[in-house]
């Protein structure tokens, strides 16, 4: 099934190159291009793409704010956001994930990697490798106990999860895919995916990446553990 994609980047050379590469793959239908976050939001509402490939640093409205607006729009509930970034911008990635992004991929990635990434977030699969996840969390995620006990990430909400779901949430926080979770727990990939989807519903997490944030900010997983 072809994935419809909106590409957002203020640098015309990068945007043009990405669009041409993805169109040539035969698996991606690039339905629009935007040069800033404000235009990205407008086009997302007009085109309803499966995935928005979003740059972070842009004029007028950056990718973090645009991601937040898109995720808050109920008419775009099925649209996923994949952050396209240089890893020198790691300090922005956590903010993007908190805003509702479904994953991130480097601008230096090979075309087939970007295609796989777009498909992965469309299918709510893992796009956070264990190494990238641990690196991001250890450097930038500091568990704030006032948030963990009073806000969206209230640890008491973990009681809504079954013991098996909490076990799987820990594995999701480690960056494991559904197949890897299935292998670790000796269950089917379909069962693993069902558990992950159930957790998203129970914790109001729009995507898999938000489950990672949930696991850490609720205190279920401690950075460095």
């Amino acid at each position: 099934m072809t994935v419809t994609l909106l590409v957002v980047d203020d640098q015309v050379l990068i945007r043009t190159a990405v669009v041409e590469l993805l169109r040539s793959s035969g698996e991606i239908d690039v339905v629009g291009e935007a040069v800033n976050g404000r235009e990205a939001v407008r086009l997302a509402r007009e085109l309803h793409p499966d995935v928005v490939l979003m740059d972070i640093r842009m004029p007028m409205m950056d990718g973090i704010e645009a991601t937040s607006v898109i995720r808050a729009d109920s008419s775009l509930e099925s649209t996923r956001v994949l952050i396209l970034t240089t890893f020198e911008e790691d300090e922005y990635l956590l903010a993007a994930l908190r805003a509702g992004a479904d994953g991130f991929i480097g601008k230096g990635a090979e075309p087939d990697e970007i295609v796989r990434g777009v498909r992965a977030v469309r299918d709510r699969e893992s796009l956070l490798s264990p190494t990238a996840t641990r690196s991001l969390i250890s450097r930038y995620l500091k568990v704030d106990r006032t948030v963990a006990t009073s806000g969206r990430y209230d640890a008491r909400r973990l009681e809504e999860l079954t013991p098996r779901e909490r076990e799987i949430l820990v594995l999701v926080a480690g960056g494991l895919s559904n197949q890897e979770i299935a292998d670790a727990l000796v269950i089917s990939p379909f069962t693993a995916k069902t558990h992950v989807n159930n957790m998203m519903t129970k914790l109001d997490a729009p995507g898999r990446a938000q489950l990672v944030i949930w696991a850490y900010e609720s205190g279920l997983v401690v950075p460095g553990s």
Side-chain angles (χ1 to χ4, degrees):
M1 184 182 297
T2 301
V3 182
T4 57
L5 181 72
L6 171 62
V7 178
V8 186
D9 198 306
D10 65 320
Q11 298 183 54
V12 64
L13 291 178
I14 292 178
R15 190 178 69 253
T16 301
V18 168
V19 168
E20 290 304 315
L21 286 171
L22 293 179
R23 279 180 172 155
S24 67
S25 72
E27 300 180 55
I28 306 293
D29 179 14
V30 179
V31 294
E33 302 177 39
V35 300
N36 57 58
R38 186 177 300 174
E39 188 175 12
V41 171
R42 178 181 65 80
L43 287 176
R45 288 169 172 163
E46 176 183 327
L47 302 170
H48 292 270
D50 295 322
V51 179
V52 178
L53 188 61
M54 182 84 74
D55 189 25
I56 290 182
R57 292 190 287 186
M58 296 180 291
M60 298 180 69
M61 179 186 288
D62 65 24
I64 295 171
E65 184 178 355
T67 296
S68 181
V69 173
I70 289 171
R71 296 311 310 160
D73 190 329
S74 60
S75 71
L76 297 174
E77 185 176 358
S78 63
T79 295
R80 323 311 297 171
V81 178
L82 174 60
I83 298 296
L84 183 64
T85 181
T86 61
F87 286 98
E88 288 77 13
E89 296 175 326
D90 273 355
E91 66 269 23
Y92 298 103
L93 295 180
L94 183 59
L97 295 178
R98 281 189 172 124
D102 298 279
F104 57 87
I105 194 165
K107 288 185 177 180
E110 295 296 324
D112 60 334
E113 292 181 271
I114 299 178
V115 171
R116 287 197 300 271
V118 169
R119 285 195 169 279
V121 297
R122 193 276 308 271
D123 296 335
R124 290 191 171 190
E125 264 290 356
S126 176
L127 197 62
L128 301 173
S129 71
T131 299
T133 300
R134 285 193 292 268
S135 174
L136 179 66
I137 293 299
S138 65
R139 282 184 287 171
Y140 298 107
L141 182 53
K142 307 299 182 183
V143 177
D144 182 339
R145 295 301 174 185
T146 63
V147 173
T149 58
S150 64
R152 175 181 178 185
Y153 303 101
D154 189 334
R156 290 170 295 185
R157 291 195 61 189
L158 294 178
E159 297 175 4
E160 300 175 27
L161 305 182
T162 66
R164 175 61 101 182
E165 287 170 344
R166 287 195 292 273
E167 183 180 15
I168 291 176
L169 181 55
V170 171
L171 298 179
V172 170
L176 273 66
S177 67
N178 288 340
Q179 182 63 61
E180 290 166 334
I181 291 171
D183 293 341
L185 299 180
V186 195
I187 58 178
S188 73
F190 176 79
T191 298
K193 183 175 183 178
T194 298
H195 282 305
V196 170
N197 288 340
N198 287 342
M199 287 189 291
M200 289 179 187
T201 299
K202 290 180 179 180
L203 299 177
D204 299 320
R208 197 182 189 96
Q210 283 67 53
L211 289 179
V212 176
I213 302 300
W214 230 108
Y216 282 92
E217 294 206 341
S218 68
L220 178 64
V221 178
V222 178
S225 63

